[in-house]
Amino acid sequence: MGDDELKWPTYSDIVTAYKCCKIKKKSSTARIHFELKLGQNLLNLYREIHSGTYMPSASMCFIVVEPKPREVFAAPFRDRVVHHLVVSELLKIWRDRFNAASFACIEGRGPYRALCKLQNLTLNIGTIRKANKPYAAQKIYALHLDIEKFFPTIHRETLLKTVLDSLPQEINYKNTKLRWLCEKLMAHDARDKFYFVNEAQSKMLPPGKSWLEQPKDRGIPIGNLTSQLAANIYLTEIDFYISETLKPQGYVRYMDDLLLLDRDKAKLKGFIAKISQRIEERLRQRINESKTVLKSLTDGVKFLGFHIKQVKRKVYSKPKEQGKVKTLGVLGKVEEQQVRTETGRISLLWITLTGKRKWKLVYRFRRLEKKGFQTQEVLGENYGLPRVSSLRRVYKQLSSYNSMLGYIRQGRSLSFRRALLTRLRRSEIIKNRTCDVKNWSKIKLHKQSYSQ
């Protein structure tokens, strides 16, 4: 094997993929078993890939119930290392090719960024300012579409062709090996060789939701890193068709959830048939008609597990010198006050947690209490913090809570935040702190005074 043939993947690339695979992952039995002979296992992967003998191993099938029942086919740890190896190369190719409206499986584009994008779109679409006239808030209509049984019904041949066509066409060892690995992983049917963790759990799935019920050429496993990225690549064509051909005033997609915004309701209604036909012709899938929603955004729609609603907010001009008026103060003295004049109304998005997410947040806070607490002095305020064995676990949990609280802050809903924080004050985590509903500050961990 010459020097040119050793470029990719090198043994160093395999080690890097392994390190990425174990980040923020608990020490599972599969990982411990793999690490018992870490050097030998990584070397075997390296040799199998270069000799062309690598084959995916048997997957583990189980059911998750949050946020809804799903059938997961989890690959073994050695295969997940290869997934990270392939995904790292595909991201280099696709990072700049994704549509600006796509917010799934892309670094820096998660659910929070999707909601921020919706907030900006609502402001731009729903607010009109004409010359020498005040701001005027306009009604926005929302069209929410969902692809029926998305992962279990993906046509694997179409998916594989989309991915392979995007790879560099230059013939060399690296491109050939990357193309071969993509075929091995994405054309592989995990149903050929798998085992159930608990076969009785399969009864929890609604009828027609199981991948095992689909034809042989359909579906990719939920739970694999390659499946998430490949599904996002699969729908990129639909993103550009909507944004460049149909051209709604606003568009956001998170995986198979599509949300289109426009001031013209009839225009959005006409998009339903066009998008449905495009998906059937190009992707061989169907829109879930039972989940198709077309309504005014002022009535609110559900997206990404949140309830989003258009509201109108007053805006005022900056006080000017001539705007000052003299009034009689409390002590009888004449005081000057600046008068703000209303210049119109702008359109904003009111983002609130659904009932299930709201109570889940409170439940998570209370779960931390059961592990024991100590009060720390952080930024001049008292925080009740959990005393647990793993400091990393605490950071991960608090990061999740701060992210959910960030959604609430983005929603600009003072009444909702006040109600939620009232419930959270019952928790020792924020019982002793002063909660400002207008400026929610993050819960932080004080490293210096925290003792294991």
Side-chain angles (χ1 to χ4, degrees), residues 244-255:
E244 296 181 359
T245 304
L246 301 183
K247 297 181 179 179
Q249 292 179 310
Y251 170 58
V252 173
R253 178 182 66 82
Y254 193 90
M255 200 51 73

Side-chain angles (χ1 to χ4, degrees), residues 365 368-369 373 382-384 427-431 433 443:
F365 271 104
L368 284 180
E369 291 180 353
F373 293 86
N382 290 326
Y383 291 76
S427 170
E428 293 294 333
I429 293 179
I430 57 174
K431 184 176 181 180
R433 68 170 293 188
I443 300 174

Side-chain angles (χ1 to χ4, degrees), residues 214-363:
Q214 300 300 324
K216 195 69 177 177
D217 61 339
R218 296 280 178 167
I220 57 177
I222 298 176
N224 289 351
L225 186 63
T226 50
S227 298
Q228 299 173 31
L229 179 62
N232 204 23
I233 294 174
Y234 188 63
L235 291 175
T236 300
E237 179 189 354
I238 302 300
D239 292 336
F240 283 101
Y241 171 72
I242 293 175
S243 59
E244 296 181 359
T245 304
L246 301 183
K247 297 181 179 179
Q249 292 179 310
Y251 170 58
V252 173
R253 178 182 66 82
Y254 193 90
M255 200 51 73
D256 62 326
D257 286 337
L258 292 72
L259 188 67
L260 290 76
L261 304 177
D262 206 289
R263 291 196 297 268
D264 188 347
K265 184 177 181 179
K267 180 180 176 182
L268 289 177
K269 189 175 182 180
F271 288 164
I272 299 176
K274 295 180 180 179
I275 296 175
S276 180
Q277 181 180 0
R278 187 79 173 189
I279 290 176
E280 289 180 8
E281 291 177 353
R282 297 300 181 94
L283 307 183
R284 302 187 185 184
Q285 290 184 288
R286 296 183 299 175
I287 291 292
N288 192 337
E289 297 181 359
S290 63
K291 293 185 178 180
T292 300
V293 177
L294 176 57
K295 60 193 301 188
S296 171
L297 200 56
T298 55
D299 297 331
V301 295
K302 288 185 179 181
F303 186 64
L304 301 182
F306 294 87
H307 189 74
I308 59 175
K309 181 179 179 182
Q310 181 189 9
V311 295
K312 298 177 182 179
R313 182 182 178 188
K314 295 180 182 179
V315 289
Y316 300 89
S317 61
K318 294 182 179 180
K320 298 181 180 179
E321 194 68 26
Q322 60 270 24
K324 292 183 177 181
V325 296
K326 293 183 178 182
T327 60
L328 190 64
V330 178
L331 301 179
K333 297 180 180 180
V334 175
E335 299 176 350
E336 287 187 345
Q337 294 183 352
Q338 292 182 331
V339 178
R340 299 188 304 167
T341 57
E342 184 179 343
T343 58
R345 293 173 181 265
I346 60 174
S347 174
L348 287 176
L349 202 62
W350 186 350
I351 304 171
T352 58
L353 294 170
T354 57
K356 189 173 182 179
R357 278 180 173 262
K358 179 172 59 179
W359 288 112
K360 188 175 181 180
L361 176 62
V362 178
Y363 169 72

